[in-house]
Amino acid sequence: MIILVLQGPNLDAIGNISAYAGERVTLDKINSALRKSCCGKDVQLKILQTAKASKALKFIRRSGKKADGILFAPMAWSQYEYSLKEALHIVQIPVVEILLDAPYSGSTEPSIFSKACIKTETGHPDTVFTTALKSILDHLSA
């Protein structure tokens, strides 16, 4: 089983944000936790973090043909990036959206992607990514 993990703009700066909050959350720790959650399972993760919507579009269109599902942390894209919403609709595979709690999220507005996803998981970055992975794996094995 192949799961794409698409992490949007500024997620690579989560270490800086967590330092302001007095925590030690980094993108490497998040990705390591995701990989650890896949140990002993027939699950392959393809992870991309980018701030460029065009790069995200290529990732969805090229990798989405072979993938079984997508974990998507849109970050700032959650308010305006309709081209990504359309791309997720085109590939027609299950998507679980990941939204972060404050202070990690810069927005309190609803995401444009929520209705296009099978589920939206919201929480602290230390746990919400692995929770979302479990959600998509449960959905795919049902």
Side-chain angles (χ1 to χ4, degrees):
M1 185 178 314
I2 298 172
I3 305 295
L4 306 180
V5 181
L6 178 54
Q7 301 162 330
N10 298 319
L11 202 53
D12 57 334
I14 200 160
N16 296 340
I17 299 166
S18 74
Y20 296 132
E23 299 178 356
R24 294 177 185 245
V25 179
T26 65
L27 189 57
D28 285 340
K29 286 181 182 180
I30 290 168
N31 292 339
S32 293
L34 283 169
R35 288 185 187 99
K36 187 176 180 180
S37 294
C38 292
C39 284
K41 298 176 182 164
D42 186 25
V43 177
Q44 178 186 357
L45 298 177
K46 290 188 175 192
I47 300 173
L48 173 69
Q49 187 285 317
T50 185
K52 296 183 179 191
S54 61
K55 192 171 182 178
L57 283 168
K58 285 180 188 175
F59 181 68
I60 293 168
R61 289 195 303 238
R62 289 184 180 162
S63 302
K65 295 175 185 176
K66 300 174 187 170
D68 298 291
I70 301 174
L71 297 182
F72 181 40
M75 304 300 285
W77 290 333
S78 69
Q79 302 306 305
Y80 65 87
E81 198 53 66
Y82 288 92
S83 60
L84 290 176
K85 183 179 178 184
E86 186 175 49
L88 293 172
H89 175 73
I90 290 168
V91 295
Q92 296 186 359
I93 58 176
V95 179
V96 173
E97 179 183 33
I98 299 168
L99 301 176
L100 303 181
D101 288 338
Y104 299 97
S105 174
S107 175
T108 57
E109 298 296 318
S111 168
I112 63 169
F113 299 103
S114 296
K115 290 182 181 178
C117 298
I118 60 164
K119 190 168 192 177
T120 297
E121 297 286 358
T122 304
H124 191 279
D126 268 348
T127 57
V128 72
F129 283 86
T130 53
T131 301
L133 178 61
K134 182 181 180 335
S135 292
I136 202 154
L137 293 178
D138 288 349
H139 175 81
L140 291 170
S141 61

